């Protein structure tokens, strides 16, 4: 049932994803002004202190409030967004869920069903409620899990890299069109905002500019998400992220082996059918390929592909804005599904 | 036998690679000031007209001269460098060779032995001497072909992308350490200078900045070079170039399947042994990977690799400066070999 | 009188400013789908051929049509936008005006009242109607000339640099707060899109990246606009543009001498009063200064200033997006004024 | 008297300037391998830990050593370079000088003679030797102070912005060619490495990219240096720095009023004469202006200028590499003067 108007709260609005989410929420026609919660319980700060851009807009500034269950209840908060480090999400969300709040978590805390995959995060899991939540949390890509998201109490918003790869591959994997055992290779490149707002040597302008580097080869945390969502074994997937000298955007170049007898037309038809009626996936045809710029500042995930002359090898290129479809936009899209709004509300 | 001092001439010094080459030649201790030849027979221009940076240096400016065989002979030119479009090189070099000049060609005109691979260039080959030259031209990567280069009359300087991939893979392919039939995937990324100095929509700042795009998927001209030099069949190699928003530098991420029983130590030993004594290939060990910045403005090709936990998959990362090791520096290195100089002369 | 819905046509939608304008028009609630006119009378092209980004959006593609007065009439075109070179605008617009069309010209063709200033453009002015149009054309900054724009048949949309300087200085100049005879210095910096979409050596990525350069010192065409609009003599204004390695955005740093006895508070009050009720000028207070990023992708012109300890010198910083407030957004704002819409329609 | 070979030590080699200095020292023909000193007395680190690029070069890695006067003496250290925060330099250098070491300090600790100017640094000056050192320290621009530098015990290497402005203006100020009372305006723009290697919100890639901002308006620390070196009063100089989205390089656009009767030829002759025989200042003629790229990775300071048609206003553009001529290169140049080497040694 569609609600007239809902009340969101955001923890972590000072980060890049949380800030974008806050701005999206402010423009959403069926959403009240979000409550911003401060993890370190500050009461003397506002969004404009962190984003001076806000201060000059004459709108959009919001105070941070300490976290208080009573206050959240009193304000009639319907949904909590956590744009927080996974350690915080892992610790805080069981209590929130227990108290009946619906939650969209943008971290990696609740995305993985397989304990072996979760090991990479090193959760201590002191809270006895974690195991139940690991089971009930719904992976947050609406194009794949809309009906479960609709009724979910906790949605684990998908990772940015993972979204770009899963959206590109799900149709062919589910349709049995590619030879998974041969191995799938995902060579992904991301802008710097994916590394977060915290200044580090890795995000220093001088280190990033005029450069390109691969990192976390054979060990990136999003690998588990991709494997689980595609329903394949880890050794079938090779995922290599790279740091691009641009502020935002992801391009994944994905290499697959096409099954004998499967034609380029069938590959194309599979994508078109799978995403028919989905407003935020754009399938490019006829060998046209997306570029990072095409989807910047939008909630689109763009997909295009090319097939080798001999027909056995295919390359898929997938692009999205890591802060929108890879984080805040997808979170809003999940919220829309959870509360019965049109998926496009607040995202166009 | 080492020559005391040689006289070079350069056709195409106005392009990025030809300009870098000219500057390298000017610093080489055993080389006379190069003669710059104008393809369009201009006599009223100098290098500083094209590169204002030169004008302010009080050195390095050189006049362009019309091309004249008599003049080249009179000046005692020992070696001709062609930093020219492949169409020009294909047409002009047979005559130059016929007249006894030694030539280093930086274009793709003479790199390919296999007529099927050459087809991608669409040469008309009106000149009856082409076939003989296709046979005798030596592919210009000194780390692989030093002895043939020493005696070559025509050296076909290797492509920038091709160098990054061939140098990375040659040791393992020749050593039989990887499963070639499984397929090799080369995901390469290059700075914009690789697209040349000619202003085009593709090289416009506004189109390139904040963007990334794949191009020539399944159809890039360097594919043939890689396949020939590695001695593998085309369908075993997947090469995908991307345009990076940086001025220069290439990073290739290469995915291979390791043969059963081959260990990471053996892979490392293979690289170390193959490039032992080679001054311009740096092998990184222990999973450390090169970045584009490490080799900028140098003639190095850097290689590092990582192996998957299960030991069957490996990722090699290879970096170089496309204008130096990928073009002008390698051309000078080839010249050093041709004339008996130390490979490092003029390159440090 | 406010019209229910108006019909625009655009000449020059293939350039950066014309393209942005077309996209803004497509989102304007009181505007029909714009007619796109092809200067070279092509009929086989559409916007997506020039901007592949369009093709993937499933909306926004529009055909180009040859220019025909009959067709424009038949389609009920109310307003013509010219995002064209000034030579074309100078030649074509007199006819359009003569035929009764209202026109917003984004070029420099009709901005200057003073023939001496116009000389820098080298117009031949064969058309006898030019002199009358030079008189009647209204300079298109709505914050300064709203009432004249309302009734104008031809609006000469202000230059990008000129807007950033004029908006910053008009209040203090008109208010007599600064010593103009002492001289005003405008040190401006612009992103590359200001140089247009045509690929040139100046806009090649490799030339612009990692660089900064001053150009047209003492000779830039926008100098005349600034001087005329501020009502000062040429020798009182020093305007120096620079090319920034960014795609878009302008920052002008403006140095003025404050008149004796004028306080920082008065300077601030002057700006606040002048732009009170103006939706697209944001005045920063208390020494806070705008940055280029704050106004990117918006129609805002941001202004902030600082005063020296001794109170005699002031620095004003002014920022805007050269393609929006510096071109297409201001054109739409002018159109809103001309047709009685709220200035903000289609711009938020 | 020229020394055969000298022994340097560097404190602060982990910063950008200290690192560049170390690399320059390693290539200097008359200098032994520098001793690197660790401010925090670490003994377990080497340069390659901070700059991985070093590790792959097979040369250039150097261990850090704790600071010990005995050890410095035992190693025969002739000159100490401090590429350290000014607080450290202010505290540590009096002792070093007292112990007889010659010092080149790259910080702002000893550049200012006027206590009012030093106030901006907020030194506590507990050390009674400071006052004497403030007197005896020589400002380190060799083009202005070579003879004093030759005999100096402490050279205060000039600031990066300050060098670009002082080198541009000294000839005209000393020659009495410009009207100083009218006011001089220096609008300077710097790459991000000028802000240091420490990761901060200001140097985060996402904040800097696609942006430009002015900062420290009317309050930058280099203002005092410029004023003192030019011998003018503070209110005659307006210095405004901006942060450019590039890794390195400074361009200063400087506005002056030319004295009555002074011609462009005289202005040019003044620069040419002043820098005649100076290897690291390049004077551009005939209205040609330097760009940041021309001097990157060199020790040059480039100067060019243009004069207004009416002859009273002039614009000087000055460029340099902030890490070379603006820091490490100038430090080496100072060392060359101190020890009687050719100024160019190790800098070409």
């Amino acid at each position: 049932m569609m609600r007239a108007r809902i009340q969101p709260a955001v923890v972590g609005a000072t980060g890049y994803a949380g800030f974008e989410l806050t701005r999206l929420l402010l423009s959403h026609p069926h959403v009240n002004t979000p409550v911003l919660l401060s993890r370190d319980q500050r009461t003397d700060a506002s969004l404009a202190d962190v984003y001076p851009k806000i201060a000059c807009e004459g709108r959009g500034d919001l105070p941070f409030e300490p976290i208080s269950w009573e206050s959240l209840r009193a304000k009639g908060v319907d949904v909590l967004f956590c744009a927080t480090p996974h350690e915080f999400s892992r610790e805080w969300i069981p209590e929130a869920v227990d108290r009946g709040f619906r939650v969209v978590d943008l971290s990696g805390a609740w995305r993985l069903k397989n304990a072996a995959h979760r090991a990479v995060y090193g959760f201590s899991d002191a809270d006895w409620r974690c195991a139940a939540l690991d089971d009930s949390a719904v992976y947050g890509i609406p194009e794949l899990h809309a009906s479960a998201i609709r009724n979910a109490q906790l949605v684990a918003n998908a990772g940015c890299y993972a979204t770009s790869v899963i959206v590109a591959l799900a149709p062919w994997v589910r349709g049995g069109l590619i030879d998974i055992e041969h191995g799938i290779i995902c060579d992904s490149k991301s802008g710097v905002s994916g590394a977060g707002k915290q200044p580090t040597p890795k995000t220093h302008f001088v280190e990033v500019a005029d450069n390109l580097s691969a990192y976390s080869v054979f060990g990136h945390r999003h690998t588990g998400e991709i494997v689980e969502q595609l329903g394949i074994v880890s050794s079938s997937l090779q995922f290599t992220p790279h740091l691009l000298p641009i502020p935002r955007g992801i391009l994944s170049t994905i290499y697959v082996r096409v099954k004998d007898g499967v034609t380029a037309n069938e590959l194309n038809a599979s994508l078109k059918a799978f995403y028919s009626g989905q407003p935020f996936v754009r399938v490019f045809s006829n060998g046209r390929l997306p570029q990072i710029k095409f989807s910047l500042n939008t909630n689109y995930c763009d997909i295009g592909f090319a097939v080798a002359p001999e027909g056995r090898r295919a390359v898929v290129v997938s692009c999205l804005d890591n802060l929108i479809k890879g984080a805040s936009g997808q979170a809003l899209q999940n919220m829309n599904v959870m509360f019965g709004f049109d998926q496009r509300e607040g995202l166009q």
Side-chain angles (χ1 to χ4, degrees), chain A:
Chain A
M1 188 202 65
M2 169 154 157
R3 293 279 307 278
R5 212 168 170 84
I6 65 169
Q7 176 62 54
V10 177
V11 198
T14 57
Y16 287 133
F19 178 67
E20 292 281 336
L21 175 63
T22 303
R23 289 171 72 89
L24 289 173
L25 287 167
L26 284 168
S27 301
H28 195 293
H30 304 306
V31 156
N32 290 327
T33 300
V35 176
L36 303 193
L37 300 174
S38 165
R39 277 197 292 142
D40 41 2
Q41 305 293 68
R42 296 185 59 181
T43 57
D44 57 343
S46 77
L47 203 55
D49 297 327
V50 188
Y51 291 90
K53 180 181 163 72
I54 286 285
C56 63
E57 292 184 356
R59 76 179 272 277
D61 195 15
L62 296 172
F64 290 110
E65 305 180 11
I67 297 179
S68 144
W69 299 117
E70 292 66 34
S71 169
L72 291 174
R73 180 102 353 150
K75 294 184 175 184
V77 166
D78 297 289
V79 59
L80 287 165
F81 290 95
C82 292
T84 44
H86 52 80
E87 296 88 348
F88 177 88
S89 291
R90 192 78 186 171
E91 202 167 310
W92 190 71
I93 288 176
E95 176 86 12
V97 168
D98 214 41
R99 287 171 179 274
F101 291 102
R102 298 185 82 180
V103 179
V104 179
D105 180 36
L106 281 77
S107 85
W110 306 98
R111 295 176 191 153
L112 298 167
K113 298 300 177 192
N114 182 323
H117 293 152
R118 278 199 303 274
V120 72
Y121 284 98
F123 298 132
S124 61
D125 282 354
D127 196 311
W128 55 272
R129 292 167 292 199
C130 284
L133 264 191
D134 280 330
D135 277 352
S136 65
V138 177
Y139 191 77
I141 295 187
E143 288 80 3
L144 299 187
H145 301 295
S147 65
I149 291 167
R150 198 161 292 124
N151 304 303
Q153 198 175 356
L154 169 58
V155 171
N157 210 54
C160 51
Y161 281 125
T163 299
S164 81
V165 174
I166 294 165
V167 167
L169 288 177
W172 293 356
V173 169
R174 293 200 182 174
L177 303 182
I178 57 176
D179 176 0
I180 292 161
E181 279 187 31
H182 184 86
I184 296 170
I185 285 168
C186 303
D187 190 281
S188 294
K189 302 91 176 172
S190 172
V192 184
S193 57
K197 194 165 188 285
Q198 191 64 29
T200 66
K202 184 181 173 179
T203 61
H204 193 294
F205 184 87
V206 176
E207 304 306 312
V208 176
D210 297 333
N211 200 9
L212 181 76
S213 56
Y215 63 98
S216 299
V217 183
F218 293 114
H220 193 276
R221 284 168 172 158
H222 288 190
T223 311
E225 293 181 44
I226 301 170
V227 162
E228 289 192 6
Q229 291 300 314
L230 295 179
I232 63 179
V233 296
S234 289
S235 60
S236 293
L237 183 87
Q238 175 63 32
F239 170 64
T240 311
H242 299 73
L243 186 66
L244 281 173
I246 62 176
R248 56 205 279 178
I250 284 178
L251 183 147
S252 292
T253 314
I254 307 172
Y255 300 87
V256 299
R257 187 62 58 117
V258 180
K259 277 201 183 151
D260 275 345
V262 174
T263 67
N265 282 344
E266 288 171 286
L267 292 171
N268 187 48
S270 162
L271 297 176
K272 289 285 192 189
F274 199 97
Y275 293 114
S276 165
Q278 298 289 359
F280 291 119
V281 176
R282 299 189 293 203
V283 178
F284 289 42
S285 296
N286 306 319
R288 287 195 314 114
L289 299 176
Q291 302 181 9
I292 276 187
K293 279 184 128 172
F294 296 173
S295 51
L296 282 183
N297 298 310
T298 77
N299 196 46
Y300 291 116
C301 179
D302 289 339
I303 321 172
F305 72 98
V307 178
E310 93 285 348
R312 299 232 36 214
R313 295 166 293 147
V315 175
V316 194
V317 173
S318 168
C319 291
L320 53 77
D321 184 322
N322 57 298
L323 294 179
I324 312 289
K325 182 60 175 171
S328 65
Q330 186 144 267
L332 205 70
Q333 192 185 350
N334 280 319
M335 182 203 79
N336 282 336
V337 174
M338 290 166 83
F339 290 88
F341 301 126
D342 186 303
Q343 283 193 29
R344 291 166 295 191
E345 290 290 4
L347 287 168
Q348 285 187 317

